[in-house]
Structure formats: C-alpha cells, structure tokens
Amino acid sequence: MTRTALVVGAGVFGLATAHALALRGWSVRVLDPNEPGTEGASSAETRILRLAHGTDDWYTGLAHRATALWRELERESGRRLLLPTGVLTLGPRDGDDWERASAARLRRLGAPVETLTGDAVTRRFPGFDGGGTGTALFEPEAGVLLARAAVRALAASARERGAELLRAAAVPDGGTAVVDGEPLRAGLTVWAVGPALPALFPGLTSVRPYRQDSWYVRPRGPWAKGETGVESGGRPAWLDREHGCYGIPAVGELGVKVVPDVETDPRAATDPAPGEIPHALRDYLRARLPHLADSPVLRREVCSYALTPDEHFLLARHPGRRDVWLVGGDSGHGFKHGPAWGEYVADVVEGRCAPAARFALR
C-alpha cells in the first residue's frame, strides 16, 4: 500500500523532507503559495556552510552529512551549489574554547581544520584585521551555498523522484491542511512553514519569527581580486564572534555580504533601496575589514528566520494527532543542514527512531 505524505512549505526544511520521503517510496505532495526560491526564509542568495558547532557533536555530524548531500545534488543537477571559499571563525579575545572544541570534533570526523592566532589571521587573510581576536578557526573545505539555486535544485530533484509541488496556501484545522475550505487528506502531514509556524499554530510552540538585514558592499582591495576562493586572495566566508557579525565574499555580481548578527522585528519597515548601512556596521568594517570601510552599498537583503529559545530545531507531533508533525525553528543555522535534516525527519516520522528531546515542542 502506498504511503502518502503532504508537506506544507517549500523552503529548505520542507523540500528536504519531501525529497527524503519520495526517495523512500512515499507519494508526496508539497504545498506552497510561491515557487521554490522566490519568497520566504529560503530565498536568500547565499548561506554559509560550516561544520563547526563547538562541543555539539550532533550538529557537527549533521553538517558533515549535509555537505556530502549538497555535493550529490550538485552532481545530479549539473549546477554549482557550494563554493569552497573556506570559512573563518574569529573567536572572542577573552576566549571560551568554542573554536578549540570545534577543531577537536572536526579532526575526529577527518575534516581539515586549523586554529590560528589573531596575528596569523592578518598575515594569512589579507582582507582581515585579526586584532583583538582570540583563537580563530579555519575550515578550508567549508564554504558558501548558493541558497536560491540550491533550493531550486532540491525542488527539481524531489520532482524527479515523483513529488508533486503545488502552488497553494494552506491553513491548519486541527493539524489537517485546508486549502480554499477543502481539507487535504494524507497518511502523514508535515508543517514546515518557517517563520509562519507560530501564526498558524498560536500557543502551540514558542518559535517566533525574526529577520536579519544583510548589506552587500562593493568589493575593494583584496576582496576584489580574482575568483572567490582562499587560494586567490584569501577571502573566506567568516563568522566574527568577537563583534557579532558574519559575512560572505563577493559571489558573481553580488558584492561582499556583511550581516550584523542581531534580531530585527519582522514587522519593522523595510526600505527596498540600498540606502546606507548602520553606523555601527560601518565602524565594524573599519575595524575588521578596512579595505571595505568606505565601500558603497550595492543592495540590501532581508532574511527571515524562525527562532526557538534554545536555538535547536523543532520536530514534534502535533498534540493529539499522530499523523501530523511540526518541523521548523531553523534559528538562522538551519539552511546548511537541509538535506541531512530531511533524512532525519524522514527517519523519525517513519518510526525508525524517536526525535531527540532537544527538538520537542517548547
């Protein structure tokens, strides 16, 4: 007997789950009002893919598995999805051993990794001033996911395996998906609607939406040299834990992406014009990326996320409905895990394993 699944949401979590279920022989339908990669939390141009997660072996292993799956999807689609720029994590000057703990776990996985001093960062990566950095971590085989292209490739692969992607907006009625007043029946329903989850299921979860504003600035100095990659200019993607910022080197015509790691109310006004970046972010560029200190803004990008209190993902049954699952809470670090998380979700909903306690409703 054919097992049927309805997945509501065509972001990376929803599509990865649909893809994994379709691979296992399920008859899968995916509902979303938008085409994959055009709107919502998974429609940004780029995302960072790193393995480092401090002492957390589970997320480290998941990112390692996801890297292999993104590479498989590259080969299948014939499209470039993961740019091996390397990822540099700049630790706080006072140190908390996060970088060293990450390095130990990556070495156990056999993943290349280096630890560096702040002075070594300045010498090794011409675009950075490593002053004030504690221990830095460099992952040479990590990099940048072309997120919009990756979502579209994932959607195409799911279709190839028989998943049906439908343009429709669904609302829940006791967990059942309803479209235009008509309930859609399936043996399994998965709600993977990103930041919309708390609005659709009020009071059921403490997931809340937030956004981060990203700015793309014109590449200058070493940031403007050659192709993206550490071997030609020393320009990796980076996470700056000392200053609470992260960024991505110029990809195509996008410019250098710089993001302050702060929350913004998703209801706040957004200006479609590039405008000017906040003074604090301009000060950050002067301190850490001096070649970009006065670079003009090329564009602004608004990224939506779904945050849980402890920043773990959400994977839980709807109370009272064994056939309905809630999936989400990317908390800003979910995209890179996408295909491996989809495998895990499929394992859980098929009963192959119980969901870890960290993913419970909260």
Side-chain angles (χ1 to χ4, degrees):
M1 183 175 179
T2 301
R3 297 172 294 178
T4 60
L6 179 68
V7 179
V8 185
V12 68
F13 277 9
L15 286 171
T17 300
H19 184 266
L21 291 172
L23 277 171
R24 300 176 188 200
W26 287 70
S27 174
V28 182
R29 289 180 294 169
V30 182
L31 297 182
D32 198 290
N34 303 299
E35 280 295 314
T38 60
E39 297 287 343
S42 295
S43 61
E45 296 290 348
T46 54
R47 288 282 191 265
I48 293 174
L49 193 158
R50 59 181 167 87
L51 304 189
H53 279 84
T55 60
D56 198 311
D57 290 321
W58 198 90
Y59 283 117
T60 302
L62 194 71
H64 190 253
R65 172 62 177 162
T67 301
L69 293 175
W70 285 123
R71 288 299 192 198
E72 284 185 16
L73 189 60
E74 270 193 326
R75 291 189 290 272
E76 177 187 328
S77 66
R79 302 179 66 181
R80 196 179 189 195
L81 304 177
L82 176 57
L83 309 180
T85 63
V87 175
L88 177 68
T89 302
L90 303 163
R93 71 182 72 201
D94 295 334
D96 58 9
D97 290 331
W98 189 92
E99 282 73 24
R100 294 190 184 281
S102 296
R105 280 151 180 81
L106 265 60
R107 291 186 181 109
R108 286 205 292 270
L109 281 174
V113 63
E114 302 174 49
T115 54
L116 304 167
T117 65
D119 288 343
V121 168
T122 302
R123 293 192 301 270
R124 176 82 170 274
F125 303 103
F128 292 92
D129 183 338
T133 298
T135 300
L137 180 80
F138 180 55
E139 302 175 62
E141 292 186 358
V144 176
L145 279 165
L146 300 179
R148 191 187 304 275
V151 165
R152 289 172 174 168
L154 190 56
S157 184
R159 284 190 179 105
E160 283 289 317
R161 283 151 179 83
E164 185 180 9
L165 274 63
L166 305 174
R167 295 277 296 276
V171 295
D173 181 4
T176 300
V178 177
V179 175
D180 296 330
E182 294 294 326
L184 300 182
R185 306 297 182 185
L188 167 73
T189 300
V190 176
W191 290 86
V193 291
L197 195 66
L200 293 178
F201 296 93
L204 196 56
T205 173
S206 56
V207 171
R208 60 184 176 85
Y210 79 102
R211 80 170 209 238
Q212 285 185 334
D213 295 337
S214 309
W215 281 267
Y216 291 86
V217 299
R218 189 180 305 283
R220 287 180 172 174
W223 297 92
K225 294 180 180 178
E227 289 293 320
T228 298
V230 296
E231 67 280 352
S232 57
R235 295 167 296 124
W238 76 94
L239 308 169
D240 193 334
R241 298 202 311 119
E242 173 68 21
H243 291 89
C245 288
Y246 63 93
I248 291 174
V251 173
E253 303 299 320
L254 291 176
V256 180
K257 181 177 179 178
V258 187
V259 190
D261 194 11
V262 296
E263 296 179 40
T264 301
D265 188 326
R267 297 166 297 182
T270 58
D271 181 359
E276 181 51 89
I277 63 178
H279 292 300
L281 189 55
R282 186 65 76 182
D283 290 342
Y284 170 74
L285 292 176
R286 293 191 182 96
R288 186 66 91 191
L289 294 84
H291 299 89
L292 304 178
D294 299 314
S295 290
V297 175
L298 300 177
R299 62 176 292 196
R300 175 185 179 182
E301 181 179 71
V302 176
C303 296
S304 300
Y305 300 104
L307 183 70
T308 61
D310 55 12
E311 298 187 7
H312 290 309
F313 304 154
L314 171 67
L315 172 56
R317 275 196 174 96
H318 186 286
R321 291 288 303 271
R322 294 190 59 81
D323 60 334
V324 177
W325 289 81
L326 306 182
V327 176
D330 68 283
S331 296
H333 70 110
F335 191 99
K336 63 179 176 290
H337 295 292
W341 174 245
E343 286 185 332
Y344 179 75
V345 172
D347 284 344
V348 169
V349 301
E350 287 187 330
R352 300 188 186 197
C353 64
R358 63 170 70 187
F359 305 130
L361 283 170
R362 55 206 184 280

